[in-house]
Amino acid sequence: MIFAYNPAYVGDTLLIVTDDDKGMIQEVTRKGRVARIQTEDKRTVGWNIFGISQLMALQDIGQVQLTKEQMKVLNQVIEEAGFTETLAVKQQASFVVGYVKTCEPHKDSDHLSVTEVEVDHEETLQIVCGAPNIRRGLKVVVAKPGAMMPDGSIIWPGKLRGVESFGMICSARELHLPNASEKRGILELAQGTVVGEPFSVKA
């Protein structure tokens, strides 16, 4: 689940993305300060909460993290508007340090690699990567499914040349890091970094 706030471009509205719309037609139902966004098959993919600054203080711009107390406020507002759904989210980092456990050439591509990346001690993700410097043994930055990139794009599970991919291994340029190299390639982290630790794009 993604929470985004950008008053300069969107207004005083909290945007909540709960699922990939997969390019389907969207239907919007608004009740008071709450708008629910569904696909044509009635799958809820997002919410807009208008006048959010009247309900809570949001310090960040772009993707924001909410506290448990703020989540309770949102669910109360949604209920009071007349919707029966509730928001439930595990507070997990979207960008983490990963370790490339395996790296094999994609069978249907001359530039893609299929990797297995450990993102914590209990989770390994298969990620298809096109960077020329990807290889086994690297520490990297992983954008997990549901992460919002600095340019506003969202990372969803998908397929590349028929192979499932669950996340993205990031370059410094994709992370909008200062002095990022224009040369193609993922960001290589120091070996001393800890797998599973959050990586702060803004820091």
Side-chain angles (χ1 to χ4, degrees):
M1 188 176 298
I2 298 168
F3 303 94
Y5 183 61
N6 194 329
Y9 291 95
V10 182
D12 188 24
T13 304
L14 179 67
L15 307 180
I16 306 172
V17 181
T18 59
D19 201 356
D20 185 0
D21 65 10
K22 301 184 185 302
M24 300 180 71
I25 296 174
Q26 295 183 353
E27 300 175 354
V28 179
T29 302
R30 180 165 180 176
K31 299 179 181 181
R33 67 166 73 236
V34 180
R36 181 181 62 191
I37 304 165
Q38 294 183 308
T39 54
E40 51 193 316
D41 60 357
K42 301 303 180 183
R43 184 167 47 88
T44 298
V45 294
W47 301 84
N48 293 339
I49 312 296
F50 302 97
I52 190 65
S53 65
Q54 301 171 27
L55 302 172
M56 63 185 67
L58 298 175
Q59 304 300 326
D60 293 332
I61 301 298
Q63 187 171 5
V64 297
Q65 299 294 324
L66 301 186
T67 65
K68 291 182 179 180
E69 290 72 22
Q70 289 172 325
M71 289 295 296
K72 289 180 181 178
V73 171
L74 290 183
N75 279 322
Q76 182 178 354
V77 169
I78 290 172
E79 181 181 2
E80 290 175 350
F83 294 99
T84 58
E85 298 172 71
T86 58
L87 302 174
V89 60
K90 294 181 179 179
Q91 296 294 339
Q92 296 180 338
S94 298
F95 297 87
V96 299
V97 176
Y99 174 73
V100 183
K101 297 171 62 176
T102 66
C103 181
E104 302 293 338
H106 192 298
K107 294 181 180 179
D108 191 32
S109 172
D110 59 0
H111 71 283
L112 295 175
S113 298
V114 182
T115 69
E116 289 184 333
V117 185
E118 182 182 346
V119 293
D120 64 33
H121 296 300
E122 298 180 354
E123 184 179 14
T124 297
L125 300 176
Q126 176 172 285
I127 301 177
V128 178
C129 179
N133 61 325
I134 184 66
R135 60 190 184 276
R136 183 172 64 87
L138 284 183
K139 295 282 185 69
V140 296
V141 179
V142 176
K144 299 174 72 173
M148 176 179 283
M149 300 299 292
D151 65 2
S153 60
I154 299 174
I155 304 302
W156 297 113
K159 287 186 178 181
L160 290 174
R161 296 286 183 92
V163 176
E164 291 185 324
S165 184
F166 300 91
M168 185 173 77
I169 303 174
C170 303
S171 70
R173 184 171 56 180
E174 289 165 334
L175 294 169
H176 289 194
L177 298 183
N179 303 315
S181 172
E182 292 299 314
K183 185 178 179 180
R184 288 187 64 242
I186 55 170
L187 178 64
E188 300 184 27
L189 301 178
Q191 287 300 312
T193 52
V194 179
V195 173
E197 280 197 346
F199 182 88
S200 174
V201 175
K202 294 177 182 177

